[in-house]
Amino acid sequence: MKKLFYGVLLTVLCTYAYAENNTTLISVDTNLTQEQKEALAQEKALKAFQEEQKKLLLQKQEEERKRQHQMGDYEMSLKKIEADISEENMWIKSYASYLTSLDVKKNLEDIRKRIKYLSKHAKTTSNRDELNALISKESILASQIDKLKGDNSSPFSELITPPKIDNIPKIENPFDIFTGLSLIKKLNANFEEYKKKKENLANLITLLRKENAIYKKLSFLDTTGKYTKIFKQKQIELDTFKRALDTMEVTLNVYQKRLDVSEININKGIETQVYGLIKIGSIILFVFITFFLLKLVVKRYITDNERFYMANKIITFTNFTIIILILFFNYIENAGYLVTILGFASAGIAIAMKDWFMSILGWLVIVFGGSVHVGDRIRVDMDGMKYVGDVLDISLLRMTILEDITLTSIMQNRRAGRIIFVPNNYIFTRMIANYTHNSLKTVWDGIKITITFDSNHKKAMHIVKEITKKYSKGYTDITRKQLNKLRHHYSLKNTNVEPRIYSFIEPYGIDIEAWYLTNAYGTLTLRSTISAEILDAFKEEDDIVIAYPTQNLHVSMRSQEAAAHKLEMV
């Protein structure tokens, strides 16, 4: 058979060689024998066959070289694409975690089957050890599945789920406007983040498609079947990502519509509150203008600074009270809530902030009762100390007093010029004396001077009376007019305003008391003047002697008689 094959092959080759080399064959010596001719033909056919085999081998080598070069180019392209598909990509990490969870599940199922088998057929020690090891491994793998979240049917359940839109709060007051704007900003940020995830996934799918196309080409060029297997896995991966993208596209549209509805509701509430603020602002502006004009009228028709100050305080307090009530009634739906809130607030203040509550109540008594005004000179007894000064201000919680130099400062405090803060609740619990109440600007002041028993006390009383009448006459006339005005408000019985002179017998002499009216703000000045005048007048009189604590010593000057002595020389 081999000979026949070779013969046929040689015949074919010879025929081919003859066709190629007709001129050569024709020129062969016709004188050769038949065997020589056959041998020559076989030799030529063998050479032609070897040349053909060589050409085929070279062709195959060239094709293999081209295939390897082409595969190298594809692998280089794959590396570039894989570099673009970073392993830090959240989608790749999520899918890798999903594949890991599938492997763990498969291993867990195999382990459980093996545990079930060994639980029934474990007879040897090695089988029992294997069973214990598998039970421990099962526990570890079960916990790993929970961590990898492999129980979810979708590998991208968290990534494709849009952010939750909570219940949209109602915009019921101006402070909710900031909450609404913040919520809109947060919802838009969540939407943009979800949209960015979708764009990231779309870009990833584009890269995966390019990668998959290259793997498909490599599977045709690869003879080992390696890339064919990878291509199938990549095709499954690409289909998984495509399904996730389709889900996100549908979800994104629905989420956007929900977001639009929520934003419309929030903007509507904000618009309502803005219009409400404009309305309330207009009312408050009107109230401000009205009370400002009222202050101008008061300033024009009330010339007394003290009365103007108090009227200004009352107008300001009323103004702010009306504004607060406007705000309350606009932002509390039920007026009963306001009463309840005020009731609880009053109870809480009365218990927890008793002093503050009493000070506010004292302020109301002071302002509306008119017992003390700004500018009045008052005396306050506080913790065993007495303070005399002028009222600078009456605030909601306290009175501010500027301490002046008075007889109290000289005799007791030895200090003056201090700013004294008196809580308003002292009006109920402490002694507060007003020297200038209700336009009464004068007070009674007295001087006491002691003369000896043998002095002419009637003359001394007359001198003192004339001096006090001289220097207090102006204040006497002013007080008479002021007391006539007070008759409309108070029952006055004794309205004598002339200086009053009294005399009293004391251990060291006769005390002459002189009481006269003087300016409440300048008692020491007139007191000093009158004292000096009385002293000078008494010095000019021979029968008036100023007394002071003295002590008389009575010494007996009688000498004793000499004792009798005997006459003797010493």
Side-chain angles (χ1 to χ4, degrees):
M1 292 295 290
K2 290 182 179 180
K3 290 180 178 182
L4 179 62
F5 173 74
Y6 285 120
V8 174
L9 182 60
L10 287 172
T11 303
V12 173
L13 292 175
C14 289
T15 305
Y16 176 77
Y18 289 154
E20 293 290 332
N21 305 293
N22 286 330
T23 57
T24 305
L25 293 174
I26 294 173
S27 64
V28 176
D29 191 6
T30 56
N31 297 325
L32 295 177
T33 61
Q34 187 65 30
E35 291 180 359
Q36 290 176 344
K37 291 180 179 179
E38 291 179 358
L40 183 59
Q42 289 178 0
E43 183 179 357
K44 292 181 178 180
L46 181 60
K47 288 182 180 180
F49 178 75
Q50 289 176 349
E51 290 292 332
E52 187 67 23
Q53 290 296 320
K54 187 176 181 180
K55 289 181 180 179
L56 291 174
L57 180 61
L58 291 174
Q59 184 178 1
K60 287 182 180 179
Q61 289 177 351
E62 181 67 20
E63 291 178 353
E64 180 65 21
R65 187 184 63 80
K66 290 181 178 179
R67 187 180 69 83
Q68 292 293 337
H69 181 71
Q70 193 171 10
M71 289 182 66
D73 292 339
Y74 287 147
E75 288 175 350
M76 289 294 293
S77 300
L78 280 176
K79 288 181 180 180
K80 293 181 180 180
I81 294 174
E82 289 174 353
D84 294 336
I85 304 174
S86 174
E87 292 183 358
E88 298 299 324
N89 190 297
M90 56 183 172
W91 296 100
I92 297 297
K93 292 177 70 175
S94 179
Y95 187 72
S97 177
Y98 172 70
L99 294 178
T100 304
S101 66
L102 292 180
D103 293 338
V104 173
K105 279 184 179 180
K106 186 176 180 303
N107 292 335
L108 187 61
E109 290 176 358
D110 295 339
I111 289 172
R112 285 173 177 170
K113 289 180 181 179
R114 182 63 179 169
I115 289 174
K116 185 176 181 181
Y117 174 80
L118 291 176
S119 298
K120 296 180 180 179
H121 302 90
K123 296 180 180 179
T124 62
T125 303
S126 62
N127 289 338
R128 286 192 292 272
D129 292 340
E130 182 183 1
L131 177 62
N132 293 330
L134 290 175
I135 291 173
S136 177
K137 190 174 182 180
E138 178 196 14
S139 176
I140 296 173
L141 291 179
S143 64
Q144 291 299 320
I145 288 178
D146 293 336
K147 293 179 180 179
L148 292 171
K149 301 180 181 179
D151 293 334
N152 297 320
S153 58
S154 173
F156 313 114
S157 58
E158 290 187 358
L159 294 177
I160 64 177
T161 303
K164 185 179 179 182
I165 299 179
D166 297 327
N167 294 329
I168 303 301
K170 292 183 179 180
I171 309 298
E172 297 179 344
N173 56 69
F175 297 104
D176 290 339
I177 292 176
F178 301 101
T179 304
L181 293 175
S182 177
L183 182 59
I184 289 176
K185 185 177 179 180
K186 179 181 177 182
L187 292 175
N188 289 329
N190 291 338
F191 176 76
E192 291 298 326
E193 183 179 359
Y194 190 71
K195 188 177 179 181
K196 189 176 180 181
K197 287 182 182 179
K198 174 183 168 295
E199 293 174 354
N200 192 1
L201 179 59
N203 294 333
L204 178 62
I205 289 175
T206 301
L207 294 174
L208 290 177
R209 282 175 178 169
K210 293 180 181 179
E211 183 186 38
N212 207 25
I214 294 174
Y215 274 117
K216 185 177 181 180
K217 293 177 182 179
L218 285 173
S219 65
F220 288 123
L221 296 174
D222 185 29
T223 58
T224 62
K226 169 187 174 183
Y227 287 105
T228 302
K229 183 178 179 181
I230 296 175
F231 169 71
K232 292 180 179 179
Q233 294 175 352
K234 291 293 182 179
Q235 187 64 41
I236 295 172
E237 180 181 0
L238 179 60
D239 294 338
T240 304
F241 281 108
K242 285 181 179 179
R243 287 193 296 270
L245 181 61
D246 294 338
T247 304
M248 286 195 74
E249 287 178 349
V250 176
T251 306
L252 186 64
N253 293 331
V254 176
Y255 183 72
Q256 186 173 10
K257 292 178 180 178
R258 291 179 59 198
L259 186 63
D260 292 339
V261 172
S262 301
E263 190 170 349
I264 289 172
N265 292 333
I266 294 174
N267 288 330
K268 185 177 180 181
I270 292 175
E271 184 179 356
T272 302
Q273 291 301 319
V274 170
Y275 284 141
L277 280 176
I278 293 174
K279 181 180 69 176
I280 295 171
S282 301
I283 296 173
I284 292 175
L285 181 62
F286 174 76
V287 172
F288 266 120
I289 294 174
T290 302
F291 279 92
F292 177 74
L293 295 176
L294 185 60
K295 285 185 178 181
L296 293 179
V297 172
V298 169
K299 184 177 181 180
R300 181 175 181 181
Y301 291 100
I302 298 180
T303 57
D304 186 19
N305 291 332
E306 297 175 6
R307 290 181 178 274
F308 169 73
Y309 179 85
M310 189 56 62
N312 190 39
K313 279 274 187 179
I314 294 174
I315 291 172
T316 303
F317 176 76
T318 306
N319 184 13
F320 281 101
T321 302
I322 292 174
I323 291 173
I324 291 172
L325 291 177
I326 290 172
L327 294 174
F328 265 115
F329 282 109
N330 272 277
Y331 292 106
I332 294 182
E333 297 179 357
N334 190 347
Y337 294 161
L338 177 61
V339 177
T340 304
I341 292 172
L342 292 177
F344 280 110
S346 300
I349 292 174
I351 296 172
M353 295 183 292
K354 178 183 176 182
D355 293 337
W356 282 24
F357 178 76
M358 294 300 293
S359 292
I360 294 173
L361 185 60
W363 179 80
L364 293 174
V365 172
I366 292 170
V367 171
F368 293 102
S371 57
V372 179
H373 299 85
V374 173
D376 287 350
R377 169 153 293 193
I378 64 173
R379 190 191 77 182
V380 182
D381 295 348
M382 297 173 58
D383 302 326
M385 296 292 293
K386 295 180 177 62
Y387 302 97
V388 178
D390 302 331
V391 179
L392 299 179
D393 181 53
I394 302 176
S395 63
L396 195 64
L397 298 177
R398 63 192 180 185
M399 292 183 291
T400 304
I401 300 173
L402 175 61
E403 188 182 22
D404 197 4
I405 300 176
T406 62
L407 191 61
T408 303
S409 304
I410 296 173
M411 302 300 294
Q412 297 182 19
N413 297 340
R414 302 304 300 174
R415 292 288 185 276
R418 294 172 292 187
I419 301 296
I420 310 298
F421 299 100
V422 181
N424 292 336
N425 59 7
Y426 276 28
I427 198 73
F428 305 114
T429 59
R430 299 292 193 278
M431 170 61 187
I432 297 180
N434 191 347
Y435 295 120
T436 57
H437 174 63
N438 200 5
S439 73
L440 189 64
K441 305 301 181 183
T442 56
V443 293
W444 286 94
D445 192 19
I447 297 175
K448 181 178 74 171
I449 187 167
T450 305
I451 61 176
T452 59
F453 289 109
D454 54 356
S455 298
N456 189 347
H457 66 279
K458 291 183 179 181
K459 185 179 181 180
M461 291 178 63
H462 178 73
I463 292 172
V464 171
K465 185 175 183 179
E466 291 300 322
I467 292 174
T468 54
K469 285 179 66 176
K470 174 183 176 183
Y471 286 97
S472 66
K473 185 178 185 321
Y475 301 112
T476 301
D477 297 336
I478 293 173
T479 306
R480 186 178 290 107
K481 296 177 181 179
Q482 292 173 346
L483 290 178
N484 290 330
K485 293 180 181 179
L486 285 179
R487 289 180 182 275
H488 301 289
H489 304 284
Y490 302 98
S491 176
L492 297 176
K493 295 181 180 180
N494 186 2
T495 58
N496 182 16
V497 294
E498 296 297 328
R500 302 175 189 181
I501 311 299
Y502 306 97
S503 62
F504 305 97
I505 298 175
E506 297 295 337
Y508 297 102
I510 300 173
D511 284 347
I512 298 176
E513 294 274 357
W515 288 87
Y516 53 91
L517 288 167
T518 183
N519 186 1
Y521 299 97
T523 56
L524 291 180
T525 302
L526 188 58
R527 183 188 184 93
S528 176
T529 302
I530 293 176
S531 297
E533 288 291 329
I534 292 174
L535 184 61
D536 292 340
F538 282 3
K539 285 183 178 180
E540 292 178 357
E541 301 297 331
D542 296 333
D543 54 351
I544 300 175
V545 179
I546 298 174
Y548 47 86
T550 59
Q551 186 175 14
N552 293 330
L553 297 178
H554 298 277
V555 180
S556 177
M557 300 302 293
R558 291 178 300 173
S559 62
Q560 296 180 354
E561 294 181 358
H565 297 285
K566 292 180 179 181
L567 296 175
E568 55 184 26
M569 296 299 292
V570 179

